Amino acid sequence: MKKPSKSIIVRILKITGITFGSIILLMFLMPILFPGKIAEEVKAFANKKLNGELNFKEANLSFFNHFPSLTLTLTDFSLKGSSPYQNETLISANDVSFGINLKSLIFDSKVTIDQIYVSEALINVKVNAKGEANYNVYIAEEETNKKEAESETSLRLDRIAIEDSHLVYDDKSTKILIDAKGFNYIGNGDLDKAVFDIYTEAKIADFDFAYDGEQYLKDKKVKADLITKINTNSLAFVFQQNNLKINKLPVEFNGKFDFLSNGYDMDFNIKSEDSKLNDFFTALPPAYVTWLDKTKVKGSTDLLFTLKGKYIASKNQKPDVAFNMKIRDGLIEYKDAPFPVSNIFLNFDTKLPSLDTEQLRVNIDSIFFNVDKDYVKAIIKSEGLSKPNISARINSKIDLAQMDKAFGLENMDLRGVLNLDIKSNGVYDKKNGKIPVTDGKINFKNGYVKTDYYPNPIQNINVVATIFDQKGSLDDLKITITPASFEFEGKPIFVNAKLQNFENINYDIKAKGELDLGKIYQVFSQKGLDVKGYVNADVSFKGSQDDAMNGRYAKLQNKGTLMLKNIKTTSEYLPKPFVIKEGTFKFNQDKMNFNDFIAAYGQSDFKMNGYLQNVIDFVLTDKAILKGNFQLHSDYINVDEFMAQTTTVADTIENTEANATPAGVVVIPSNFDLQFNATADKINFDGLAIDKLKGNMKISKGQLELKQSGFDLIGANVKMDLVYGSQSTEKAFFDFKILAKEFDIKRAYNEVKMFKEMASAAESAEGIVSLDYKVAGILDANMQPIYPSLTGNGVLSVKKVKMKGFKMFGAVSQKTGKDAIKNPDVSQVDIKTKIKNNIINIERFKFKVAGFRPRIEGQTSFDGNLNIKMRLGLPPFGIIGIPIKVTGTQDNPKVKLGKQTEDLQETEYEGDVPQPISAEAKP
């Protein structure tokens, strides 16, 4: 065969080299030839098609970023969301690249974006409680003629690629939170069609899923191969073939998702059939995965989760949710346990129609397992939540030590034999006195509990208890605990109790022993919590609720002594713990006497002697009123520390931890009827220093009343009556009367925050005034007055006051040319005012200054606006006067000659403003 000549080979190589060289040259020249056009077209497209603020550092056009595609790459890219999240970031990325269709660019002079690449991005999707989302940034294309359409930049995607990104989906309307780190996604399809299939590959390094604040998946690896049909006309998604793997658990996912104008229409099915029980545990939180490394798990499981229906927040329309789980032939054996947990069977089914907890149905058709010959078995069914209809049968004969070893319960050592035999059937409706018909027996022998948090166990735990109710009513309920005992730190505790008829409780309770609460709490220690205290009890209570309520104390047999020391208690009403430093309580019939009771709350201290009445009834029921009478003394009370605490969540992209800020009013419990003869050396309230408080305080029906009280404030003696109560945790009402004689106005401005806010013009005033005033209104969550809610009236008596620096008088002086008016000295003037609808109305008053006789009346608002009528009577007798009107603000008063003025605009408070102090009450 004749070999090709050398010249032909050289020619072929030259042609090939020129061709490749031309292509490479073209790849370099294209970004140079077209960058202006492409960048301008893309920017114009973004401005027209995106309803969100787009920013980037620089734009680069290249074939080599995503070879062989010609791509426009925007670095330091960010796009803000649509309303109502227009000020928050939707997407931020290290770079975002748009693939340009070369054919359209070269032959049609049209920029068509057919690929999108996103790298190292934060994709922050948000939906508020109304269903309004931040991702509606693409403005749908309106119908245009063909010529106009051809001249525009278009979006015809056939590939989307996301690399190493962080996706957050926070939907307040459905209460779903998804956090996916290490998110990698490739989507391919003919996306320029109205209806198309998209083929997806996705991998997630760390996947978290939470619903309604509860974490269901944490740090899971996810791999997905999906086929999704998308209808861009109706914005509907049909999930046709979707195979997922969560760690090792295979999951099938199909269904549909339609965007409605006011919500969503969903039909999801997520299932895993005949999967290995071992693989199921790999999909649980990391703690279980660590446990799984040391555990043999066998058996099969079926899982099914469905979500079906429309979610329309404005119509309160919600989908149905259901979950079903089955376990068959399960076995769990931790390390070298002598016996495994075997024969594990579970049929669990729950339904939540319309996401309505009142329709919640839970059906544990059966649960069963063995440990050697011991067993636990149960059937539990429930319908509803607030008034559940319950059917339950629970039986066990189990050696907890064997079960502990088989399950591998970490950080805890359990021992003892637990026998249960409980049958319960019926409705639990506490309000109407109904409970399920119940017959239950509990027998726990030789119990032992030890954790890694404390070196010594709670041991010798023995409990024999019965619960019996044949009629299904509270009045037939009987609970017997005979006996219950345990030993801790070498000290035994004994309790015997018989309770029956919970509509009118008959009780017989005996308790004796010593207990260090701090040490026993450490047995079950949790980070961030702390409980301390010491209890020594030797008490016995016997009687009935009816005898206690109706004063038949001779029939009661309540006696004994309870000594407390360093007990720390908490309440939903208070942000800080209340600490009982020491106190001896002696029980005598219905009374609990306090002897030398010493307590603290934050910086505040309290010393009390007195008694509580109706204690047993108060403890046993939630209807009883706790009565009491005390002598109370405090060296110091810091009222600010009693503010109720609310929590605000930092709603940031990174979903940072919640930051608690102290806010909220002081809430007075409604089931107290307590009287205090109180004295306090010092009190702090919002920077207000009060000394030598004396008064009678009453806490009753959710209100606090202070009568005939007196205290020293800024060097003056003050008498006051006060009623205070909360409307909620964020609003409270108050009504007080105050009589303060001859106090220093300069000290009042400097030291009394409310005086500074209500009389800001007194900043430079000097002298002595008296106040006789009453005012009522509403306080906000920061215990500050809501000014439009205030109503009141009274008299401010002026004695030898220098009105120095008042801008209003300065402006009048400048307008009239009378220097004596600029800083007048005022004495023996009574200024009467009324407060309503954010306005302070000033009645007419007169005074003399340097021969002039000013007369003033009018209005000022808490916002600082002025509407003052003034007549400047001229010497010698003021018969001739100059009419003046002062408007504007306290900081910028406007003075004009004349009489006609317009009343300031009132602001009415929308809400109740109670008037709890009777008209007869006087300071």
Side-chain angles (χ1 to χ4, degrees):
M1 182 177 177
K2 187 179 179 180
K3 294 183 179 179
S5 66
K6 185 177 180 181
S7 60
I8 294 175
I9 295 174
V10 172
R11 189 179 301 155
I12 292 172
L13 290 174
K14 283 184 178 180
I15 292 171
T16 304
I18 291 170
T19 302
F20 278 106
S22 299
I23 293 173
I24 294 171
L25 181 62
L26 183 63
M27 293 174 71
F28 279 101
L29 290 177
M30 284 283 289
I32 299 173
L33 294 174
F34 290 96
K37 174 179 176 58
I38 293 175
E40 289 175 7
E41 289 280 356
V42 171
K43 287 182 180 178
F45 170 80
N47 289 331
K48 186 174 182 180
K49 293 297 183 182
L50 294 180
N51 181 25
E53 183 182 336
L54 176 69
N55 291 296
F56 55 89
K57 184 177 181 181
E58 59 182 7
N60 300 313
L61 194 62
S62 172
F63 278 99
F64 300 104
N65 285 345
H66 296 278
F67 184 83
S69 297
L70 174 63
T71 56
L72 175 68
T73 300
L74 307 180
T75 61
D76 292 342
F77 175 93
S78 69
L79 173 64
K80 291 188 176 179
S82 56
S83 178
Y85 295 100
Q86 60 269 30
N87 296 322
E88 298 185 41
T89 299
L90 171 61
I91 301 174
S92 65
N94 185 49
D95 60 67
V96 174
S97 298
F98 300 94
I100 311 297
N101 186 294
L102 281 179
K103 179 182 176 183
S104 297
L105 178 64
I106 295 173
F107 297 106
D108 301 330
S109 296
K110 179 180 178 181
V111 178
T112 300
I113 299 171
D114 59 6
Q115 300 180 22
I116 293 180
Y117 300 89
V118 180
S119 176
E120 298 180 25
L122 173 62
I123 305 168
N124 179 43
V125 180
K126 287 190 172 184
V127 183
N128 66 14
K130 297 179 181 179
E132 299 168 329
N134 69 340
Y135 51 72
N136 296 316
V137 293
Y138 183 71
I139 301 173
E141 185 175 353
E142 297 180 359
E143 290 188 6
T144 58
N145 63 55
K146 186 175 181 181
K147 185 175 181 181
E148 287 177 335
E150 288 177 349
S151 65
E152 293 179 348
T153 298
S154 63
L155 185 66
R156 298 288 186 268
L157 294 177
D158 59 23
R159 182 180 176 88
I160 300 174
I162 301 173
E163 298 178 352
D164 195 21
S165 295
H166 181 190
L167 169 68
V168 177
Y169 178 82
D170 187 1
D171 190 337
K172 296 289 194 300
S173 65
T174 58
K175 300 180 182 178
I176 289 174
L177 175 63
I178 294 173
D179 192 345
K181 300 182 181 72
F183 179 65
N184 292 275
Y185 171 93
I186 297 175
N188 296 287
D190 197 358
L191 278 68
D192 62 334
K193 293 183 179 180
V195 180
F196 59 88
D197 290 342
I198 184 169
Y199 299 84
T200 300
E201 294 180 15
K203 290 183 179 180
I204 302 173
D206 294 303
F207 180 80
D208 298 349
F209 176 84
Y211 174 72
D212 198 15
E214 291 292 329
Q215 192 94 45
Y216 290 92
L217 296 175
K218 177 73 173 172
D219 297 335
K220 296 295 132 193
K221 290 182 173 64
V222 176
K223 183 178 179 181
D225 293 309
L226 315 174
I227 301 176
T228 306
K229 184 181 289 294
I230 300 177
N231 186 330
T232 59
N233 292 326
S234 61
L235 203 57
F237 298 82
V238 178
F239 303 95
Q240 297 172 317
Q241 178 183 330
N242 300 279
N243 298 315
L244 305 176
K245 185 170 280 189
I246 303 173
N247 279 8
K248 294 181 180 180
L249 180 69
V251 177
E252 294 180 22
F253 170 54
N254 57 67
K256 69 173 185 176
F257 186 91
D258 293 347
F259 283 92
L260 307 177
S261 61
N262 55 353
Y264 316 112
D265 188 5
M266 297 172 280
D267 187 354
F268 293 144
N269 285 274
I270 303 172
K271 64 181 179 179
S272 180
E273 292 184 334
D274 199 22
S275 299
K276 294 180 180 179
L277 187 59
N278 183 84
D279 294 344
F280 167 74
F281 278 100
T282 68
L284 297 178
Y288 292 95
V289 179
T290 304
W291 166 85
L292 194 60
D293 292 338
K294 308 171 186 177
T295 307
K296 181 193 297 182
V297 177
K298 294 182 179 181
S300 62
T301 181
D302 294 338
L303 302 169
L304 176 62
F305 173 83
T306 62
L307 177 63
K308 185 175 182 178
K310 293 180 180 179
Y311 184 91
I312 303 175
S314 59
K315 296 182 179 180
N316 198 30
Q317 190 171 347
K318 299 176 183 179
D320 301 333
V321 175
F323 177 73
N324 179 273
M325 181 178 184
K326 293 182 173 66
I327 297 176
R328 295 289 180 269
D329 300 319
L331 180 143
I332 296 175
E333 184 177 7
Y334 183 78
K335 285 184 177 179
D336 300 320
F339 301 101
V341 179
S342 60
N343 298 321
I344 302 173
F345 285 84
L346 172 67
N347 284 336
F348 175 80
D349 186 70
T350 182
K351 293 180 173 64
L352 187 60
S354 300
L355 293 178
D356 182 4
T357 55
E358 291 305 317
Q359 300 184 57
L360 175 66
R361 294 196 292 271
V362 178
N363 183 1
I364 303 177
D365 183 67
S366 63
I367 181 172
F368 180 88
F369 64 82
N370 283 121
V371 180
D372 192 19
K373 296 180 181 180
D374 290 347
Y375 64 88
V376 172
K377 61 181 180 180
I379 297 175
I380 302 172
K381 299 179 181 181
S382 174
E383 293 186 14
L385 191 63
S386 62
K387 298 177 183 178
N389 192 335
I390 299 169
S391 176
R393 177 69 190 266
I394 304 171
N395 292 96
S396 78
K397 179 182 179 298
I398 190 77
D399 186 326
L400 296 182
Q402 300 285 15
M403 187 186 74
D404 183 357
K405 292 176 183 178
F407 274 119
L409 301 179
E410 297 181 346
N411 304 321
M412 182 174 290
D413 183 6
L414 294 177
R415 302 177 196 173
V417 176
L418 177 62
N419 291 323
L420 294 176
D421 186 2
I422 299 174
K423 289 181 272 187
S424 189
N425 191 10
V427 175
Y428 176 77
D429 182 0
K430 185 177 180 181
K431 184 178 180 180
N432 293 307
K434 296 180 179 180
I435 68 167
V437 173
T438 303
D439 185 1
K441 299 178 179 64
I442 302 170
N443 193 328
F444 186 26
K445 293 183 179 179
N446 301 319
Y448 176 102
V449 178
K450 183 183 180 299
T451 70
D452 292 345
Y453 308 112
Y454 192 74
N456 298 323
I458 303 173
Q459 58 187 349
N460 295 329
I461 306 170
N462 289 281
V463 178
V464 177
T466 60
I467 304 171
F468 187 76
D469 192 301
Q470 193 172 12
K471 297 179 180 179
S473 59
L474 284 173
D475 60 5
D476 191 50
L477 177 60
K478 301 177 182 66
I479 298 176
T480 304
I481 304 173
T482 54
S485 62
F486 65 89
E487 185 178 310
F488 182 65
E489 293 283 7
K491 297 179 179 179
I493 300 290
F494 299 95
V495 177
N496 283 273
K498 293 181 180 179
L499 305 172
Q500 60 184 14
N501 186 3
F502 279 66
E503 290 285 10
N504 173 28
I505 292 182
N506 286 282
Y507 55 88
D508 185 355
I509 304 170
K510 295 181 177 66
K512 186 175 183 179
E514 299 181 14
L515 195 59
D516 189 324
L517 296 181
K519 289 181 179 179
I520 199 170
Y521 177 75
Q522 290 180 44
V523 176
F524 309 100
S525 178
Q526 293 185 33
K527 186 177 180 181
L529 298 176
D530 186 27
V531 175
K532 295 180 180 178
Y534 173 84
V535 178
N536 189 331
D538 186 0
V539 294
S540 63
F541 309 110
K542 188 175 183 179
S544 72
Q545 180 184 351
D546 185 61
D547 288 338
M549 290 181 63
N550 291 286
R552 295 188 289 269
Y553 303 133
K555 294 186 176 183
L556 303 179
Q557 299 179 41
N558 301 326
K559 60 183 179 179
T561 302
L562 184 68
M563 295 179 63
L564 304 182
K565 192 171 183 179
N566 295 327
I567 299 294
K568 186 182 291 187
T569 62
T570 58
S571 166
E572 61 181 304
Y573 301 109
L574 301 173
K576 291 189 175 185
F578 193 85
V579 180
I580 302 171
K581 291 186 176 181
E582 61 180 75
T584 300
F585 306 95
K586 292 187 177 180
F587 293 90
N588 182 19
Q589 305 303 58
D590 72 321
K591 286 186 180 181
M592 182 170 72
N593 293 292
F594 285 59
N595 294 338
D596 298 326
F597 178 88
I598 300 174
Y601 179 84
Q603 298 175 343
S604 306
D605 63 87
F606 305 93
K607 297 177 183 177
M608 286 196 299
N609 283 281
Y611 66 87
L612 286 175
Q613 194 169 355
N614 208 22
V615 177
I616 305 299
D617 192 21
F618 180 79
V619 172
L620 294 177
T621 72
D622 56 4
K623 299 177 182 179
I625 304 297
L626 184 65
K627 301 179 180 180
N629 195 309
F630 295 94
Q631 299 290 322
L632 170 66
H633 175 76
S634 175
D635 293 329
Y636 178 70
I637 301 175
N638 187 355
V639 178
D640 294 347
E641 294 182 319
F642 285 82
M643 303 294 186
Q645 181 167 309
T646 60
T647 301
T648 60
V649 177
D651 194 15
T652 63
I653 292 171
E654 294 296 333
N655 195 29
T656 54
E657 291 183 354
N659 295 317
T661 54
V665 300
V666 177
V667 178
I668 309 297
S670 60
N671 54 347
F672 285 178
D673 184 4
L674 306 175
Q675 306 239 8
F676 297 89
N677 184 3
T679 60
D681 294 339
K682 290 183 179 294
I683 297 176
N684 172 66
F685 171 50
D686 197 21
L688 192 67
I690 298 172
D691 297 321
K692 299 179 181 177
L693 171 69
K694 292 182 179 181
N696 296 315
M697 183 169 63
K698 181 179 180 182
I699 298 175
S700 179
K701 298 179 181 178
Q703 294 186 9
L704 182 149
E705 295 184 32
L706 196 61
K707 294 184 177 180
Q708 298 177 349
S709 63
F711 56 87
D712 292 342
L713 178 67
I714 59 172
N717 182 256
V718 179
K719 294 181 179 179
M720 183 176 71
D721 282 356
L722 167 70
V723 173
Y724 168 90
S726 59
Q727 295 179 324
S728 68
T729 58
E730 297 185 354
K731 280 189 179 180
F733 63 85
F734 72 96
D735 192 342
F736 78 88
K737 296 182 180 182
I738 186 169
L739 176 61
K741 292 186 177 180
E742 297 190 349
F743 63 88
D744 189 313
I745 194 170
K746 192 172 187 67
R747 282 192 64 183
Y749 183 88
N750 292 333
E751 300 178 27
V752 182
K753 185 177 180 180
M754 186 178 292
F755 184 87
K756 180 186 290 188
E757 292 175 350
M758 297 180 67
S760 57
E763 180 177 4
S764 300
E766 299 178 7
I768 304 299
V769 298
S770 296
L771 181 66
D772 186 355
Y773 220 89
K774 58 182 179 181
V775 64
I778 303 297
L779 301 174
D780 64 18
N782 293 313
M783 294 291 284
Q784 298 298 313
I786 300 174
Y787 291 119
S789 74
L790 299 182
T791 59
N793 61 80
V795 180
L796 178 68
S797 299
V798 176
K799 179 181 179 182
K800 297 179 181 178
V801 172
K802 294 183 179 181
M803 310 289 281
K804 183 180 178 181
F806 277 68
K807 292 183 179 181
M808 186 186 78
F809 287 110
V812 171
S813 173
Q814 185 178 7
K815 188 71 175 180
T816 60
K818 310 297 182 183
D819 290 340
I821 302 298
K822 186 174 183 180
N823 294 307
D825 290 348
V826 181
S827 61
Q828 301 302 326
V829 176
D830 292 338
I831 304 173
K832 297 180 180 179
T833 59
K834 291 183 179 180
I835 298 173
K836 190 175 183 181
N837 296 337
N838 205 42
I839 302 296
I840 304 172
N841 289 286
I842 306 168
E843 293 186 16
R844 180 180 294 181
F845 67 93
K846 304 175 183 178
F847 60 95
K848 297 179 182 179
V849 53
F852 294 95
R853 297 172 182 260
R855 187 182 73 195
I856 298 175
E857 61 187 304
Q859 298 175 313
T860 180
S861 73
F862 286 110
D863 301 325
N865 296 317
L866 298 174
N867 174 32
I868 303 295
K869 297 177 183 179
M870 186 172 179
R871 181 183 183 276
L872 185 61
L874 301 176
F877 303 110
I879 298 174
I880 300 174
I882 302 173
I884 300 170
K885 55 184 179 182
V886 184
T887 57
T889 66
Q890 294 176 3
D891 293 330
N892 185 25
K894 298 178 181 179
V895 178
K896 294 182 181 179
L897 300 179
K899 297 181 180 179
Q900 298 298 321
T901 63
E902 292 185 6
D903 289 344
L904 296 178
Q905 185 175 356
E906 296 184 353
T907 304
E908 293 188 15
Y909 177 72
E910 297 181 1
D912 295 331
V913 184
Q915 301 287 330
I917 292 184
S918 63
E920 293 78 16
K922 296 181 180 179

